[in-house]
Amino acid sequence: MEYSKTILITGGAGFIGSHVIRLMVNKYPNYRIVNFDKLTYAGNLKNLTDVENAPNYAFVKGDICNREDLKNAFEQYKVSDVIHLAAESHVDRSIEGPMEFVMTNVVGTVNLLQQAKDSWTGDNHVFHHVSTDEVYGSLGAEGLFEETTSYDPRSPYSASKASSDHFVRAFYHTYGLPVKMSNCSNNYGSHHFPEKLIPLMINNIVHKKPLPIYGKGDNIRDWLWVVDHASAIDTIFHGGRIGESYNVGGLNEWTNLDLVKYLCRLMDQKLGRSEGESEELITYVTDRAGHDMRYAIDASKLESELNWRPSVTFEEGLDLTVDWYLANSEWIEEITSGSYKAYYESMYENR
Ligand code: NAD
Ligand code: DAU
């Protein structure tokens, strides 16, 4: 079959990447979707069992830090477009070991930009870089991150993502590479690795394990359902202007403590436990170093220019998410049975 585009999606076996792959494979049978992923601890091909046999889907095991891997994939598949999600994504891991974040998020991104620049001629290409609201730093009680907010990254993770954003813009201004960028708030949903707040809490509630809240639990995050992030990426990839960045979020701020308490009540109902049972598991632990206080996104540019909106409320999205975890216990058991145990002990034991 002659495909109208061949999109290389990096990090497609991860949490958000697998949702972007699912959307693209199903919605665009005339595109070939190539999932390029190193399969780190965070990459899992079981996230994609429903699309793995689709005729327009292919998987390449490769590392964005390896130029040969990238060159081979671009040549073999005649890649016309890129959606770049591959990254080290967990702030706590970046505090323990920043260098891996520099290698994947900065060096890997520059490799990928260089490969696209070397491979592409003409106008008919898009390099969509997926980034985070954490590049803007930390908010006080008021205000929202806008696309024009100055960069002020404060963790090794966000510093590496900010650096990657700067390189993407540099390739646009210097070489005319046709880039688009998006900066999204915290995602939640199915297939989320249980090192992040929501899936970690769901898993611990199920197993009646302590629920570790950093500090006082008053830090604020702005949550968006991962399927809505995937739809925003689709919208920006197709309709966004070259050289522009778009903030993605759903005006949905929660303190960590309120969110965990809500999750406890929801899961007590679903698991047939008595009211308040899971809340008793809440345990306050030593705060994250340099913990950003508040994130909140102004997505009005994306809404007014491209008519994008979230499709569900937080309550609806969280309900679907908890149901998915309860129905897919083998997925989470497989993930938490291996090296996760050592990770969990090193991060939470004696904290
Ligand atoms: P994730 O950690 O779940 O997945 C990352 C994926 O990248 C994995 O499949 C992993 O195997 C792959 N990968 C890592 N290093 C690689 C390398 N060197 N070469 C090829 N593949 C590699 O991450 P996620 O939460 O799905 O985030 C995806 C992207 O979205 C990241 O760029 C992240 O910064 C950004 N983002 C995430 C959120 C969020 O809330 N999770 C919000 C905004 C932006
Ligand atoms: O804002 C977007 C970012 O959101 C993404 O770029 C990152 O890739 C993603 O990991 C996420 O970063 P956060 O640090 O905000 O997410 P995390 O789930 O790690 O933590 C959310 C909040 O919950 C944060 O304030 C720390 C707190 N927390 C987290 C964990 C894992 C706890 O209190 N206890 C925990 O055990």
Side-chain angles (χ1 to χ4, degrees):
M1 156 146 188
E2 192 71 11
Y3 292 105
S4 61
K5 286 180 190 299
T6 295
I7 309 178
L8 188 89
I9 300 189
T10 70
F15 165 49
I16 302 171
S18 61
H19 286 275
V20 175
I21 297 250
R22 186 169 297 108
L23 182 157
M24 291 280 171
V25 165
N26 290 325
K27 188 169 171 188
Y28 302 105
N30 56 327
Y31 294 175
R32 179 154 56 180
I33 303 299
V34 181
N35 175 9
F36 182 97
D37 198 298
K38 183 182 170 184
L39 300 182
T40 67
Y41 79 93
N44 184 354
L45 289 177
K46 293 207 171 135
N47 294 351
L48 289 162
T49 44
D50 52 337
V51 294
E52 67 188 2
N53 295 319
N56 62 337
Y57 170 77
F59 171 67
V60 173
K61 187 169 190 301
D63 182 349
I64 55 170
C65 295
N66 183 323
R67 280 300 303 273
E68 279 304 300
D69 285 357
L70 286 172
K71 189 164 176 281
N72 291 341
F74 269 68
E75 284 176 3
Q76 183 185 350
Y77 289 99
K78 298 189 175 42
V79 170
S80 63
D81 299 82
V82 167
I83 300 178
H84 176 37
L85 295 114
E88 288 296 331
S89 69
H90 191 36
V91 174
D92 291 328
R93 289 186 196 252
S94 82
I95 294 167
E96 298 303 309
M99 196 48 84
E100 207 156 346
F101 287 69
V102 176
M103 294 315 293
T104 296
N105 300 359
V106 185
V107 177
T109 299
V110 178
N111 274 336
L112 187 59
L113 287 162
Q114 191 70 36
Q115 187 58 51
K117 170 182 164 296
D118 291 350
S119 299
W120 293 346
T121 48
D123 289 339
N124 203 16
H125 305 286
V126 171
F127 186 112
H128 181 145
H129 177 60
V130 177
S131 193
T132 171
D133 61 356
E134 296 195 14
V135 298
Y136 299 121
S138 178
L139 290 165
E142 300 292 321
L144 301 172
F145 294 135
E146 297 170 11
E147 286 82 358
T148 51
T149 302
S150 299
Y151 274 35
D152 183 23
R154 296 152 49 101
S155 74
Y157 163 71
S158 54
S160 70
K161 291 296 290 187
S163 174
S164 72
D165 290 11
H166 291 323
F167 272 105
V168 172
R169 284 199 182 89
F171 269 65
Y172 168 64
H173 289 290
T174 310
Y175 309 110
L177 193 76
V179 308
K180 300 181 183 184
M181 295 178 40
S182 48
N183 295 80
C184 187
S185 60
N186 285 63
N187 286 212
Y188 69 95
S190 70
H191 307 90
H192 202 181
F193 194 88
E195 64 190 352
K196 309 282 167 54
L197 180 75
I198 289 182
L200 184 144
M201 294 296 169
I202 292 175
N203 188 42
N204 285 13
I205 291 170
V206 167
H207 293 100
K208 302 190 177 181
K209 284 174 61 178
L211 308 178
I213 299 275
Y214 298 169
K216 291 194 238 141
D218 52 2
N219 301 69
I220 291 173
R221 295 293 180 267
D222 182 357
W223 294 94
L224 182 71
W225 193 37
V226 63
V227 175
D228 286 328
H229 186 193
S231 89
I233 290 171
D234 175 26
T235 303
I236 296 162
F237 174 80
H238 285 97
R241 284 177 288 144
I242 297 288
E244 291 286 317
S245 64
Y246 294 84
N247 281 351
V248 185
L251 290 179
N252 178 43
E253 294 180 48
W254 286 73
T255 68
N256 294 334
L257 187 58
D258 285 347
L259 168 48
V260 171
K261 284 184 174 170
Y262 181 83
L263 203 49
C264 286
R265 288 195 293 277
L266 179 65
M267 290 190 63
D268 281 346
Q269 283 165 19
K270 288 186 187 286
L271 294 166
R273 293 183 185 166
S274 58
E275 209 182 312
E277 192 178 330
S278 296
E279 250 187 66
E280 284 175 19
L281 298 167
I282 288 177
T283 312
Y284 295 90
V285 300
T286 308
D287 208 351
R288 173 184 279 176
H291 198 172
D292 286 343
M293 191 59 211
R294 173 173 167 256
Y295 304 145
I297 274 274
D298 177 352
S300 54
K301 177 177 174 183
L302 174 59
E303 291 175 4
S304 62
E305 227 178 79
L306 299 175
N307 203 23
W308 173 89
R309 299 275 182 288
S311 68
V312 295
T313 64
F314 186 53
E315 289 74 7
E316 289 165 343
L318 207 54
D319 204 65
L320 290 167
T321 302
V322 170
D323 285 350
W324 185 86
Y325 278 94
L326 295 180
N328 290 277
S329 51
E330 72 294 343
W331 182 92
I332 194 140
E333 263 151 36
E334 204 174 313
I335 281 184
T336 50
S337 63
S339 56
Y340 179 81
K341 282 202 172 102
Y343 166 81
Y344 198 90
E345 269 172 36
S346 76
M347 206 56 92
Y348 293 98
E349 210 133 279
N350 311 317
R351 185 165 182 149

